[in-house]
Every structure is written in structure tokens, then in C-alpha cells.
Amino acid sequence: IEKIRYNDIDIVLISDKKGIEDEIHKYLSEKIQMNFHIIAISEEKLGELSRICPLTRSMLYYSVSNKEFSLDEKIEIEKKHINFLMMMPEDLLKIEFFNGKVYFDSLRRLITIRKFLEKQKLDPILINLEIKKILGGYYLLLKKDENIDKKTLILLRKEIKKELTQINKILKKDNL
């Protein structure tokens, strides 16, 4: 298993209070010399996203909470939301862009969506292992946010297209 080096701490605040992210960010930045990504979300919206959004479910797969928390087993396939999540990877098939991390993140996004639709575990570690298997020696290069050459771009577009095709087959098959 690869060691993961974190550059920041991601925090989800369950709150309806406007501007609380800025307050908490300022407070934590003064107390702890780290970078923070803070998202404030209502309990209702978090519940909805945890049912319909594969990316949210994967993000929360491993978490620490000050209250009891678990992901609801019940999921809902919302085609409109899935199509929204696929927009960025679809755009990468049409534009010349040479930042490897963007392709890496898009491939991770698509694999997560496919696994969600197939009702598989959304464990980020297993998803990264699948990406590593697909990309082989390109894995670390792409994960490090480095520029890529045309040959690598062709490989990535092929894999993104393959994932998009699989996702669309599932959506059509299940009449979603």
C-alpha cells in the first residue's frame, strides 16, 4: 500500500450558518500551521449528497467525526447529477490540455461513478489501486501534477472514453 502524503486537512462542517467556513478557517490557520479546505453544508444537503453523489460517498468513506456518523446504505441514482459529474472528463476528450493531474482526477472521478452505479465499495484506496493498474508506470507522473506528452494524452483519453462508455451503458441498461 502506498503512503499518502497530505498537504492539507479537509473539514466538512454541518451547519446552516453563513460564513462559518471563513471563521473556522481563520481560527485554525492561526492555531495550526497547515492548509485547510473547509466546506459548510446543511445536514439535509449532506444527507441528500450522501445518497446521490458517488464523489461525496467516496470522500466520506474514511472520516473522523465528533459525532456518530455512517454512510446510509441506501443510494439513489440521479441521472442528471451523474451527467453533471461526467462533464469535466467529457470536456477533456475535446480540448488539448497537458496537465496530468487533471486527467488523473477525471479518471478517478469516472471510476468512482462507475463503481457507484455498479453498487460497489467506493473505497478511495481501492479506486487508486485500480487507477494504478490501468496507468502502470504513468501513475506517479500523473498524480504529481506534471505535464504530459502526446503519447500519454492518447492513453488517458482512451481510458476516459472507455469509462464514459461503461457508465453510459449502465445508465441506458437501467433506464436511468
Side-chain angles (χ1 to χ4, degrees):
I1 295 179
E2 87 182 81
K3 281 190 177 184
I4 300 173
R5 292 195 174 142
Y6 295 100
N7 299 322
D8 59 28
I9 297 173
D10 296 328
I11 298 173
V12 176
L13 296 172
I14 301 172
S15 175
D16 291 323
K17 185 178 175 188
K18 298 283 185 213
I20 194 166
E21 309 98 297
D22 296 332
E23 289 177 40
I24 300 295
H25 189 274
K26 182 179 178 192
Y27 176 80
L28 288 173
S29 295
E30 290 172 1
K31 300 288 182 192
I32 304 169
Q33 300 302 308
M34 293 261 328
N35 291 324
F36 296 93
H37 288 133
I38 301 175
I39 300 169
I41 189 168
S42 70
E43 189 170 351
E44 182 182 335
K45 187 66 175 173
L46 180 62
E48 177 190 350
L49 284 175
S50 71
R51 283 190 312 278
I52 69 165
C53 183
L55 305 182
T56 300
R57 291 184 71 84
S58 182
M59 177 181 74
L60 296 173
Y61 196 87
Y62 296 110
S63 61
V64 176
S65 176
N66 65 338
K67 294 184 180 179
E68 187 174 323
F69 175 80
S70 63
L71 286 171
D72 191 347
E73 292 292 319
K74 182 183 171 210
I75 64 166
E76 296 172 21
I77 310 297
E78 194 173 289
K79 188 175 181 180
K80 185 177 177 182
H81 185 71
I82 298 296
N83 286 332
F84 170 76
L85 296 176
M86 293 190 317
M87 285 171 59
M88 174 70 160
E90 289 170 336
D91 287 345
L92 288 175
L93 296 177
K94 301 171 192 159
I95 61 172
E96 291 285 318
F97 196 73
F98 292 96
N99 180 301
K101 181 84 164 94
V102 174
Y103 288 93
F104 181 88
D105 290 343
S106 287
L107 189 55
R108 178 192 293 134
R109 173 181 289 231
L110 292 172
I111 290 169
T112 303
I113 293 168
R114 177 179 45 80
K115 287 181 168 293
F116 176 80
L117 293 173
E118 294 172 341
K119 296 176 177 59
Q120 295 182 24
K121 288 183 179 182
L122 300 180
D123 183 335
I125 294 171
L126 296 177
I127 291 168
N128 275 351
L129 286 174
E130 187 169 337
I131 295 169
K132 191 179 251 185
K133 186 177 174 184
I134 291 168
L135 298 177
Y138 295 105
Y139 178 82
L140 287 176
L141 170 79
L142 296 168
K143 198 172 176 194
K144 288 183 182 176
D145 201 16
E146 296 185 17
N147 286 339
I148 54 173
D149 59 24
K150 285 244 186 219
K151 179 182 168 191
T152 309
L153 179 65
I154 291 167
L155 167 75
L156 289 166
R157 283 183 167 166
K158 178 182 151 214
E159 292 301 327
I160 287 172
K161 195 178 280 188
K162 187 164 49 171
E163 287 295 332
L164 286 166
T165 301
Q166 286 182 291
I167 290 166
N168 283 316
K169 275 184 187 175
I170 294 167
L171 291 172
K172 283 179 186 168
K173 182 185 90 174
D174 294 339
N175 284 328
L176 299 172

